[in-house]
């Protein structure tokens, strides 16, 4: 009885305890599952999919590898927003941080009349004080604002070369913005004229090394064209512009389109400038060009709003009247048309009077033909000597008192037009002035047309046949640095720069070679070049090194004495380290004793070299997957690459790479 009574008493308590445990475990499981699910959803919503969640009772454990410390903290905060933050246990790791990329170093140099400003980020180990001092020497009395910041990172390859080039460019550009980066320069500047723009573009392009990425944006104000002139001619079935002016690109395109429709072949220049007499200029020009095309030949000349339409002799009068009538009725307001239909010429007693001025390529001028009186002959002689030089003019003109009243003015206008040519002929008759010849000015034809219209009036008849030759252009004819290097090399292939035995004094025969080289360098302008000296292997190496340096410097000094600009030149002696022939024979030793002129080019950076090699390897691999023909081509290219790659790493090659391709020349010991 006692056992039954005891069992009945304790059994309910035991059952209740077991049920409590079961319920408690179930509740804990529900809490854990709900916590994991809620936190998982919240982490996914925040893009933290890398995090793992594990709940153990009321505690929530976060595991996984966070991409960064910020992401780790974000995961903890997200979990703490779902459950009590005290329940969140952080067991996450953080991925190792990648090395911080160096910043992009750059300088913005702004220059105007008020001063120069420097803005940007530069390496800490750069000589900043030297840079600012150079800028101040350029600015003169103007203000220099140094707003540069520094960062303690390695100086990029080509940084010094880029800064040096920027300083040289800044000296030539009083109004400019120069952006400097390692291996890249962007120049934006304004000049006073189109000629200055061409000169600056030439000079800046020439002084930039091959590996310097140069972007030029140089602008020039539009010229003021007065009178605003255009002359279109159809002669012998060929159409051309003697002069062309437009107020903007839209008008220029419209005029050139009309000219091509009328028969113009190839490209033509049409100057955009200020001074247009009417907003309907392009419309009027288009109508006039169409009129000349309908006549089949002739010319139309615009001088501001005055238009002269000249038909060739023998033109059908009815056709001419119709074209003139249509133009007179359709031309925009303000424009005035002057039609000219020549009458058949009659033979005059004594022939047609004529004056001819001939300019030779050597600059000599001969004046022949007729002049009206002694005063006119004296004025013509004086004017020609003022234009072409007092020792260059020969006068052989006779007097004729029956010449037209405006004859002296026509003669002087012809001489002034001739002065725009390098060589040519000016022929003056009562009806027409003809100018023909060669010139180095791209816009000479337009200048001559404007000149004759301004001097003789818009109805003046003239014929211009001027050919532009680049070799006569003082800007375009200047050789490139590579051409200069090649020309000097051609001289040194056949003629040596010899020295007195055992000394650094050029001998008598070397003087002529130096004279010829200096003439080439004077035409080349400012280029970066190395004068390098080399010896044979006779004697001690240290003595040969010193002698080669002295000889290279002696050549550089000789060039300076001949007034060659050598501020961008360097002299360097290589001694016996770079032979071009065997030192075992006299001929080889003679070849090794030499002076070389080499352009200085920046070294390619290590990154650029590795990138190039990777590109070659990638390209070769792609070619290997092609057909047989492509594989054969790849094998051939790969062989060439291997030859270059497998070349021995000779220290002499490093010295040669600094200056570029060597030109040949020799010097005696």
């Amino acid at each position: 009885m006692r056992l039954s009574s005891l069992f009945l008493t304790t059994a309910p308590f035991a059952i209740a305890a077991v049920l409590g445990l079961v319920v408690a475990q179930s509740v804990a499981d529900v809490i854990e599952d709900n916590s994991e699910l809620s936190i998982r959803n919240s982490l996914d919503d925040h893009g933290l999919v890398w995090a793992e969640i594990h709940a153990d009772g009321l505690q929530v454990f976060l595991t996984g590898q966070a991409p960064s410390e910020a992401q780790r903290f974000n995961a903890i905060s997200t979990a703490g927003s779902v459950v009590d933050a005290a329940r969140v246990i952080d067991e996450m790791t953080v991925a190792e941080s990648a090395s911080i990329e160096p910043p992009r170093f750059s300088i913005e140099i702004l220059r105007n009349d008020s001063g120069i400003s420097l803005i940007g980020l530069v390496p800490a180990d750069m000589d900043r004080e030297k840079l600012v001092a150079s800028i101040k020497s350029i600015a003169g009395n103007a203000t220099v604002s140094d707003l540069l910041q520094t960062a303690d990172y390695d100086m990029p390859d080509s940084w010094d070369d880029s800064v040096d080039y920027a300083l040289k460019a800044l000296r030539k550009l009083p109004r400019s913005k120069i952006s400097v980066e390692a291996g890249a320069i962007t120049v934006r500047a304004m000049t006073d004229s189109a000629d200055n723009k061409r000169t600056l573009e030439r000079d800046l392009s020439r002084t930039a090394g091959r590996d310097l990425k140069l972007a030029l944006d140089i602008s020039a104000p539009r010229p003021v064209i007065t009178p605003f002139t255009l002359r279109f001619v159809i002669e012998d079935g060929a159409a051309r512009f003697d002069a062309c002016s437009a107020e903007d690109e839209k008008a220029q395109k419209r005029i050139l389109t009309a000219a091509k429709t009328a028969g113009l072949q190839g490209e033509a220049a049409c100057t955009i400038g200020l001074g247009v007499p009417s907003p309907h200029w392009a419309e009027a020009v288009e109508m006039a060009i169409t009129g000349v095309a309908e006549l089949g030949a002739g010319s139309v000349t615009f001088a501001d709003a005055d238009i002269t339409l000249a038909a060739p002799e023998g033109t059908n009068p009815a056709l001419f009247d119709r074209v003139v009538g249509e133009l007179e009725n359709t031309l925009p307001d303000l424009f005035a048309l002057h039609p000219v239909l020549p009458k058949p010429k009659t033979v005059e007693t004594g022939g047609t009077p004529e004056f001819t001025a001939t300019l030779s390529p050597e600059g000599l001028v001969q004046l022949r033909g007729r002049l009206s009186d002694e005063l006119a002959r004296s004025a013509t002689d004086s004017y020609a000597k003022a234009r072409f030089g007092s020792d260059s003019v020969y006068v052989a003109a006779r007097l004729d008192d029956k010449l037209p009243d405006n004859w002296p003015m026509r003669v002087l206008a012809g001489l002034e037009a001739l002065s725009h040519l390098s060589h040519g002929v000016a022929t003056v008759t009562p009806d027409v002035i003809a100018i023909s010849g060669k010139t180095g000015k791209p816009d000479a034809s337009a200048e001559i047309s404007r000149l004759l219209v301004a001097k003789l009036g818009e109805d003046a008849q003239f014929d211009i046949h001027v050919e532009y030759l680049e070799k006569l252009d003082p800007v375009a004819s200047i050789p490139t640095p590579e051409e200069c290097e090649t020309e000097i090399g051609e001289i040194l292939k056949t003629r040596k720069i010899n020295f007195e035995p055992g000394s650094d004094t050029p001998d008598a025969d070397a003087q002529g070679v130096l004279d010829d080289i200096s003439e080439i360098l004077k035409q080349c302008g400012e280029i970066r070049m190395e004068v390098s000296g080399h010896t044979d292997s006779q004697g001690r190496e240290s003595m040969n090194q010193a002698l080669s340096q002295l000889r290279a410097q002696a050549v550089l000094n000789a060039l300076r004495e001949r007034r060659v600009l050598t501020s961008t030149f360097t002299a360097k002696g290589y001694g016996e380290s770079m032979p071009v022939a065997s030192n075992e024979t006299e001929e080889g030793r003679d070849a090794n004793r030499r002076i070389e002129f080499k352009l200085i080019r920046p070294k390619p950076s290590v990154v650029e070299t590795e990138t190039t090699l990777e590109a070659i390897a990638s390209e070769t691999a792609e070619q290997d997957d092609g057909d047989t023909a492509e594989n054969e081509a790849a094998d051939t290219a790969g062989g060439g690459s291997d030859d270059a790659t497998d070349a021995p790493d000779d220290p002499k090659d490093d010295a040669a790479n600094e200056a570029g391709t060597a030109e040949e020349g020799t010097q005696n010991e």
Side-chain angles (χ1 to χ4, degrees):
M1 287 294 291
R2 288 182 177 179
L3 291 175
S4 299
S5 175
L6 181 62
F7 176 78
L8 290 175
T9 304
T10 60
F13 291 101
I15 293 172
V18 171
L19 290 176
L21 289 173
V22 172
V23 171
Q25 182 64 41
S26 299
V27 172
D29 290 342
V30 171
I31 294 174
E32 290 176 358
D33 292 341
N34 287 338
S35 298
E36 286 187 9
L37 182 61
S38 299
I39 294 174
R40 177 75 270 166
N41 290 336
S42 182
L43 290 174
D44 289 345
D45 291 342
H46 287 79
L48 305 172
V49 295
W50 50 266
E52 301 292 339
I53 307 99
H54 172 67
D56 186 2
L58 294 178
Q59 292 182 322
V60 178
F61 296 87
L62 295 180
T63 60
Q65 187 177 68
S68 64
E69 190 66 36
Q71 292 282 69
R72 171 180 167 275
F73 181 77
N74 194 12
I76 296 173
S77 300
T78 302
S81 66
V82 178
V83 300
D84 187 357
R87 296 170 52 192
V88 179
I89 308 300
D90 176 21
E91 294 185 350
M92 294 179 289
T93 61
V94 180
E96 293 185 6
S97 300
S99 58
I100 301 176
E101 292 291 330
R104 184 176 66 88
F105 292 112
S106 64
I107 305 176
E108 296 288 337
I109 306 176
L110 309 176
R111 184 182 184 188
N112 53 33
D113 295 337
S114 61
I116 301 177
S117 298
L118 301 175
I119 306 172
L121 182 68
V122 300
D125 56 351
M126 174 185 175
D127 193 343
R128 179 173 173 180
E129 293 182 359
K130 180 180 177 181
L131 171 64
V132 175
S134 299
I135 294 292
K136 288 182 177 179
S137 68
I138 296 173
N141 296 326
T143 303
V144 174
S145 300
D146 178 10
L147 304 177
L148 295 175
Q149 301 293 323
T150 60
D152 191 9
Y153 287 87
D154 291 338
M155 188 180 300
D157 294 334
S158 303
W159 175 258
D160 283 338
D161 289 336
S162 298
V163 173
D164 290 344
Y165 178 86
L167 293 176
K168 292 179 182 178
L170 189 65
R171 294 182 186 277
K172 302 176 180 180
L173 303 170
R175 294 179 295 278
S176 60
K177 174 185 176 183
I178 302 177
S179 302
V180 184
E181 294 184 26
I185 297 285
T186 300
V187 178
R188 296 179 177 86
M190 179 178 290
T191 64
D192 296 330
S193 66
D195 288 341
N196 287 342
K197 175 184 176 182
R198 293 177 63 216
T199 301
L200 281 172
E201 289 176 338
R202 176 207 67 188
D203 292 344
L204 294 175
S205 298
R206 287 165 55 81
T207 54
R210 282 185 175 180
D211 296 328
L212 181 64
K213 297 178 181 178
L214 177 62
L216 295 178
D217 182 10
I218 300 179
S219 60
R222 291 181 177 179
V224 177
I225 303 175
T226 177
F228 212 75
T229 309
L230 181 142
R231 179 175 169 83
F232 180 76
V233 181
I234 298 179
E235 185 177 35
D236 298 329
R240 71 176 190 273
F241 278 110
D242 284 342
C244 183
S245 305
E247 71 269 30
D248 54 33
E249 287 80 3
K250 183 178 179 181
Q252 181 191 57
K253 182 177 180 181
R254 184 172 180 179
I255 291 170
L256 294 178
T257 300
K260 290 182 178 179
T261 303
L264 179 67
Q265 300 295 324
E267 298 298 324
C270 194
T271 304
I272 297 177
L274 305 176
V276 64
S278 167
H280 302 291
W281 171 265
E283 180 184 357
V285 170
E286 186 178 44
M287 292 179 181
I289 289 176
T290 302
V292 176
E294 290 185 28
L295 293 176
S299 67
V300 61
T301 303
F302 281 73
D304 290 331
D306 293 313
I307 308 172
T308 300
L309 177 66
E313 184 179 345
T315 299
N316 185 338
L319 173 62
F320 183 72
D321 290 342
R322 180 178 64 80
V323 171
V324 171
E326 290 177 352
L327 284 174
E328 288 178 340
N329 285 281
T330 57
L331 281 171
D333 293 339
L334 184 67
F335 290 94
L337 180 64
H338 306 281
V340 178
L341 180 61
K343 296 180 180 179
K345 295 181 180 179
T346 59
V347 179
E348 299 180 5
T349 304
T352 302
E354 182 179 278
F355 174 85
T356 303
T358 304
L359 174 61
S360 71
E362 296 76 23
L364 302 178
V365 177
Q366 289 189 351
L367 307 180
R368 302 180 183 275
R370 304 184 190 185
L371 294 171
S372 54
D373 52 36
E374 188 61 43
L375 180 61
R377 181 156 60 184
S378 177
T380 301
D381 180 51
S382 299
Y383 186 80
K385 288 179 178 178
R387 281 283 178 179
F388 304 102
S390 57
D391 296 331
S392 303
V393 177
Y394 171 75
V395 181
R398 71 183 183 89
L399 302 183
D400 184 351
D401 57 3
K402 296 181 180 180
L403 296 172
D405 293 339
N406 65 345
W407 190 259
M409 178 61 70
R410 295 175 66 83
V411 167
L412 295 179
L415 287 175
E416 187 172 353
L418 184 65
S419 67
H420 289 268
L421 306 183
S422 297
H423 55 88
V425 179
T427 303
V428 180
T429 66
D431 299 322
V432 66
I433 294 179
I435 308 294
S436 62
K438 315 291 185 183
T439 181
K441 298 180 179 179
D443 55 350
S445 181
E447 291 181 0
I448 292 172
S449 295
R450 284 193 286 269
L451 165 69
L452 295 179
V453 168
K455 298 291 185 182
L456 305 177
E458 66 277 355
D459 57 347
Q461 297 297 302
F462 47 89
D463 188 15
I464 302 174
H465 289 276
V466 173
E467 181 182 0
Y468 167 74
L469 297 180
E470 186 176 282
K471 66 180 181 180
L472 300 176
D473 190 332
V475 174
S477 62
I478 295 178
T480 65
E482 289 75 15
E483 290 172 344
C484 294
E485 184 184 43
T486 301
E487 288 185 38
I488 295 173
E490 291 299 321
I491 291 177
L492 295 178
K493 281 182 180 180
T494 56
R495 302 163 64 192
K496 300 178 181 179
I497 299 179
N498 298 325
F499 292 83
E500 298 293 343
S503 78
D504 60 350
T505 304
D507 66 12
D509 293 336
Q511 303 305 318
V513 182
L514 290 169
D515 289 341
D516 293 343
I517 292 176
S518 66
E519 290 302 319
I520 293 175
L521 292 174
K522 287 177 182 178
Q523 298 175 12
C524 295
E526 186 178 0
I527 58 176
R528 299 182 65 196
M529 182 164 281
E530 178 187 276
V531 181
S532 57
H534 304 269
T535 67
D536 58 25
S537 61
Q538 300 295 304
R540 287 184 297 175
E541 183 176 350
S542 59
M543 292 182 61
N544 289 333
Q545 171 66 34
L547 180 61
S548 65
Q549 178 66 44
L550 291 173
R551 288 181 170 179
Q553 187 63 48
V555 171
L556 187 57
N557 293 339
L559 295 176
R560 288 172 180 160
E561 292 172 358
R562 289 164 171 78
R563 298 184 181 279
V564 175
L565 297 177
T566 59
S567 59
T568 56
F569 286 27
T570 60
K572 187 170 183 179
Y574 291 96
E576 60 187 66
S577 65
M578 298 177 64
V580 294
S582 172
N583 280 305
E584 300 300 323
T585 64
E586 180 57 36
E587 292 78 7
R589 290 192 293 271
D590 184 63
N592 290 331
R593 297 190 295 266
R594 68 195 188 277
I595 288 288
E596 294 177 344
F597 286 78
K598 301 173 289 185
L599 287 178
I600 298 176
R601 301 182 178 95
K603 286 184 178 179
S605 66
V606 175
V607 175
E608 291 173 342
T609 303
E610 292 176 350
T611 302
T612 302
L613 293 176
E614 290 175 0
I616 293 174
S618 175
E619 183 178 352
T620 303
E622 292 176 0
Q623 290 177 341
D624 288 341
D625 295 333
D627 57 22
T628 303
E630 290 177 340
N631 285 334
E632 292 176 355
D635 290 340
T636 303
S641 297
D642 290 340
D643 292 341
T645 306
D646 293 339
D649 187 11
D650 195 327
K652 295 176 285 189
D653 296 335
D654 295 336
N657 287 338
E658 292 183 5
T661 305
E663 295 298 337
E664 302 209 358
T666 58
Q667 66 177 353
N668 290 337
E669 185 176 3

